[in-house]
Amino acid sequence: MGTCVTLRGVAKSFGVRRLFTDISLTVSDQERVGLIGPNGSGKSTLLKILAGLESPDAGERTLRQGVRLAYVAQQDVFAPGATALGVVTEAAVAAFGRPAADAEQLRRVAVTLGRLGFEEPQAAADALSGGWRKRLSIARALVTEPDVLLLDEPTNHLDLESILWLERFLTGAPFAFVVVSHDRFFLENVCRRTVELSAAYPRGFLGVDGPYSALLEAREAFLESQGALEQTLANKARREVEWLRRGPKARATKAKARIEAAGELFGELAATRERNRETVRAGIDFSASGRQTKRLVVAENLAKAYDGRPLFRNLDIVLSPGVRLGLTGPNGSGKSTLLRVLAGLERPDAGKVSCAPGLELVVFDQKREQLDKEQILRHAFAPDSDSVLYRGQPVHVVTWARRFALRPEQLDLPVGLLSGGEQARVLIARLMLRPADVLLLDEPTNDLDIPTLEMLEESLLEFPGAVVLITHDRSLLDRVSTVLLGLDGAGGAAVYADYAQWEAEYGARRKEQARAEKAEKPQKAKPRPQSASKKLSFKEQREYDGMEEAIARAEADLEASRAALEDPAVASDGHELSLRLQAFQAAEAAVEALYARWEELEAKLA
């Protein structure tokens, strides 16, 4: 297996802030690498260095001759008015220099769009959903026929269906890829090597051969060794301090060497302590009101529809302390609507929601509408003072910000200038100040890094009240939920024991739906046998009588050649793709020729 791209001793800083030092990384043919780390650790920067879009401060990047790289950014940006076909065609022209009307170019663009499921290539890019915009970004990269695909947070803001599609696509990909993601299930399912960037590691990173779970084991072992190392260094330093206080004479060679070694020891101890401090994560801890009521929220016979399409009906829900209800289902199935109905922010079409007297509800809005983007961060936490009140005790705003990995210098910035992950932490930090009986959380994980996600998980597991959770983070959903409610988008809802059970049933339902849709597609008119006619010769009559069977065989061959052409296993094999395209075009021509011949014979019978 050949090496595609190599980084040796790469370092990068922004101002006085160091991201990483001395990173060495290789990506070989068909390798699957997951890149993780806290927000601000430099994941996107390292990906851009791999892509050749940014230069390191030190070290070197080597690209094997002839290797093609493609980069998919976090944000999907397309030219105003662009169509899916136009976006992919433009990328192909830029990559290969052939005109858009060139036969090979047309084939390349058509095959790429077909592989990614675009049935309407003229669709406007701006009108596509988030999931389809991400597919278009990937199509734009794939049409360049890369050997290595670099993806920066491709699962951000995707619905579960799109995430599952992306998993299947990457699992069968013939090219290598490096993917930055905070979706732990996704990383576990698609990656064979995992690299974590963090200032907690001596060189700023830790890499393991294996999926995300292997990285967790390696990280735990490393942190344990770091703790032991800090203790050992501290004991040595204590002895050296005692020796130095006795006043050794530096004129002696041995004493001078020991004094110099002691200085190095103190430096190593300081560096180890600093790295260990870097493992401190956002301190998420929701406050419970302490209410003892057993029935906090009771929903009976709820129903809701939009534009005549039922989202849910005859739905009964009881939220009690300790109940953590996870909501799942495809986009548009009514999850956010149901949460808003439970919160009293939207009225149901039928049924009612009853709440315990004086109930304290805390709502996390996925659109961040509860944040004033113009307000500076300091005032978002404490509008009228320098302290917040947490569990009856004043906490200085600087201390409160640091608890959520927000730097003191950010306190005077408008909230709108913070990153998506930082805004999410600000919203969680504000909600934590309110005692709650029920937490209603709509996509709280968007833009959060893995360390913060882990802290959010722990906090929700320890929260004594009730929780309703909507999230595309399957790990969080599976671990936190005591019960899972799946909405099908057609008015139905069912209870599941865990996410795996829902996914299996959802996948089976999707396959059945696809089969039904295929069966309902209008078919081309088949030739109808007619009685013999003197207008047809004996040979033509035999040909006419066998026409229906011949067309059926030809259409079966066409479907088989279409499936062979769309097989991801040959996506980057230009020669094989060319052969399969020729076979598909020949099969398509054969079907058209048979229909034309049938019409010709029919005309003779008219």
Side-chain angles (χ1 to χ4, degrees):
M1 184 177 292
T3 298
C4 295
V5 59
T6 302
L7 300 182
R8 293 187 184 91
V10 165
K12 189 70 177 180
S13 299
F14 283 111
V16 297
R17 184 162 166 261
R18 186 191 70 183
L19 292 179
F20 41 78
T21 58
D22 196 23
I23 284 187
S24 295
L25 177 67
T26 62
V27 181
S28 301
D29 292 322
Q30 298 185 1
E31 200 164 19
R32 286 94 166 82
V33 182
L35 187 58
I36 67 172
N39 286 342
S41 60
K43 303 184 296 296
S44 295
T45 300
L46 184 61
L47 207 65
K48 289 177 182 177
I49 292 174
L50 275 170
L53 300 175
E54 197 161 314
S55 300
D57 297 336
E60 63 177 3
R61 167 186 177 268
T62 304
L63 187 66
R64 192 180 77 207
Q65 186 174 8
V67 166
R68 288 181 179 272
L69 292 176
Y71 171 75
V72 179
Q74 285 192 41
Q75 302 299 323
D76 306 308
V77 180
F78 309 108
T83 64
L85 178 62
V87 167
V88 178
T89 300
E90 183 180 355
V93 170
F96 298 102
R98 297 186 178 186
D102 178 81
E104 177 65 16
Q105 202 77 297
L106 290 171
R107 176 204 66 80
R108 184 179 287 115
V109 171
V111 169
T112 301
L113 287 169
R115 284 178 59 203
L116 274 74
F118 283 91
E119 296 182 355
E120 297 182 13
Q122 297 296 342
D126 291 342
L128 297 175
S129 67
W132 282 98
R133 287 174 65 85
K134 183 59 66 180
R135 285 199 196 200
L136 183 55
S137 289
I138 294 173
R140 178 168 58 187
L142 290 184
V143 78
T144 66
E145 299 179 0
D147 301 290
V148 182
L149 184 63
L150 307 172
L151 303 117
D152 195 355
E153 296 285 7
T155 64
N156 256 7
H157 307 286
L158 293 189
D159 60 10
L160 282 172
E161 184 175 351
S162 296
I163 292 173
L164 293 174
W165 168 83
L166 184 58
E167 276 188 7
R168 292 191 299 269
F169 180 79
L170 291 178
T171 299
F175 47 78
F177 62 79
V178 181
V179 57
V180 173
S181 180
H182 60 255
D183 187 319
R184 291 159 290 177
F185 268 30
F186 178 80
L187 291 164
E188 184 73 15
N189 291 338
V190 305
C191 297
R192 298 174 190 162
R193 184 149 65 99
T194 311
V195 177
E196 181 176 31
L197 300 184
S198 173
Y201 304 120
R203 292 192 295 167
F205 77 103
L206 175 67
V208 298
D209 290 325
Y212 176 70
S213 55
L215 188 281
L216 291 181
E217 294 173 355
R219 180 203 292 163
E220 184 176 358
F222 172 81
L223 293 179
E224 285 181 2
S225 69
Q226 283 293 99
L229 175 62
E230 182 178 343
Q231 186 61 46
T232 299
L233 292 174
N235 291 337
K236 287 183 179 179
R238 192 177 304 111
R239 291 194 296 270
E240 294 304 295
V241 168
E242 292 172 355
W243 177 76
L244 289 169
R245 282 174 177 168
R246 293 200 295 268
K249 295 181 179 180
R251 292 188 302 272
T253 302
K254 288 185 178 180
K256 184 177 181 181
R258 185 169 178 178
I259 291 172
E260 291 174 351
E264 294 175 359
L265 173 65
F266 298 148
E268 186 179 358
L269 175 60
T272 302
R273 282 176 171 165
E274 180 62 27
R275 288 197 303 271
N276 289 347
R277 276 196 293 270
E278 289 289 344
T279 62
V280 176
R281 298 174 292 188
I284 300 173
D285 184 12
F286 290 103
S287 299
S289 68
R291 180 190 294 271
Q292 300 300 312
T293 307
K294 296 300 182 185
R295 293 164 69 87
L296 301 173
V297 177
V298 178
E300 301 174 276
N301 296 317
L302 290 185
K304 188 71 177 180
Y306 276 118
D307 297 328
R309 182 173 70 89
L311 297 178
F312 46 83
R313 53 178 174 256
N314 302 324
L315 191 58
D316 296 327
I317 296 174
V318 177
L319 299 179
S320 303
V323 170
R324 297 187 294 274
L325 175 65
L327 299 181
T328 189
N331 271 12
S333 59
K335 302 184 295 295
S336 294
T337 300
L338 176 56
L339 187 141
R340 289 176 61 82
V341 168
L342 293 174
L345 302 174
E346 197 165 325
R347 293 180 60 85
D349 296 338
K352 65 177 182 177
V353 177
S354 304
C355 298
L359 186 77
E360 293 286 351
L361 279 169
V362 165
V363 181
F364 185 104
D365 179 8
Q366 65 166 314
K367 296 180 181 178
R368 315 282 197 261
E369 290 176 350
Q370 298 162 333
L371 290 176
D372 180 353
K373 302 299 178 65
E374 303 298 322
Q375 189 178 38
I376 65 171
L377 178 58
R378 181 186 305 276
H379 294 162
F381 286 147
D384 304 315
S385 70
D386 288 333
S387 299
V388 300
L389 193 65
Y390 179 59
R391 295 185 174 180
Q393 298 294 323
V395 178
H396 196 275
V397 68
V398 172
T399 304
W400 190 247
R402 281 178 171 156
R403 178 171 181 166
F404 295 90
L406 296 164
R407 302 186 301 278
E409 60 266 27
Q410 292 178 299
L411 286 170
D412 294 315
L413 292 177
V415 170
L417 293 183
L418 302 179
S419 69
E422 288 166 339
Q423 289 185 33
R425 295 203 297 273
V426 170
L427 189 51
I428 291 173
R430 296 206 321 174
L431 297 179
M432 275 178 50
L433 299 174
R434 296 170 47 192
D437 301 304
V438 179
L439 299 175
L440 303 176
L441 308 176
D442 193 354
E443 292 294 351
T445 63
N446 281 346
D447 304 305
L448 294 185
D449 57 19
I450 290 178
T452 308
L453 282 172
E454 291 169 347
M455 288 300 295
L456 177 61
E457 276 183 6
E458 295 300 328
S459 180
L460 293 177
L461 288 170
E462 294 171 3
F463 181 68
V467 176
V468 179
L469 174 65
I470 300 172
T471 179
H472 293 144
D473 189 301
R474 293 161 291 173
S475 178
L476 181 74
L477 192 68
D478 211 36
R479 188 173 179 217
V480 167
S481 303
T482 57
V483 62
L484 202 62
L485 181 67
L487 305 181
D488 63 10
V495 173
Y496 299 89
D498 55 22
Y499 173 80
Q501 184 185 26
W502 175 82
E503 185 180 24
E505 183 173 313
Y506 176 70
R509 190 165 60 246
R510 289 285 297 168
K511 288 180 181 178
E512 182 60 34
Q513 182 181 351
R515 282 194 293 267
E517 289 175 355
K518 186 175 182 180
E520 291 174 2
K521 283 184 177 179
Q523 302 292 322
K524 290 184 178 180
K526 295 292 191 295
R528 299 181 305 277
Q530 293 190 10
S531 58
S533 169
K534 293 181 180 178
K535 293 183 180 181
L536 295 180
S537 67
F538 176 76
K539 185 178 179 180
E540 288 174 334
Q541 185 64 55
R542 287 186 60 186
E543 182 184 5
Y544 182 81
D545 291 342
M547 189 62 73
E548 184 172 4
E549 183 180 347
I551 289 178
R553 286 198 305 270
E555 288 185 334
D557 291 342
L558 178 61
E559 287 304 310
S561 62
R562 187 196 307 276
L565 179 63
E566 295 175 353
D567 184 359
V570 298
S572 62
D573 188 337
H575 177 67
E576 181 62 23
L577 265 178
S578 178
L579 293 176
R580 295 193 182 193
L581 176 65
Q582 292 174 17
F584 172 75
Q585 290 173 335
E588 193 172 39
V591 171
E592 294 300 326
L594 283 170
Y595 273 107
R597 178 58 175 162
W598 169 65
E599 290 175 359
E600 183 182 336
L601 295 174
E602 282 277 283
K604 287 188 176 183
L605 290 171

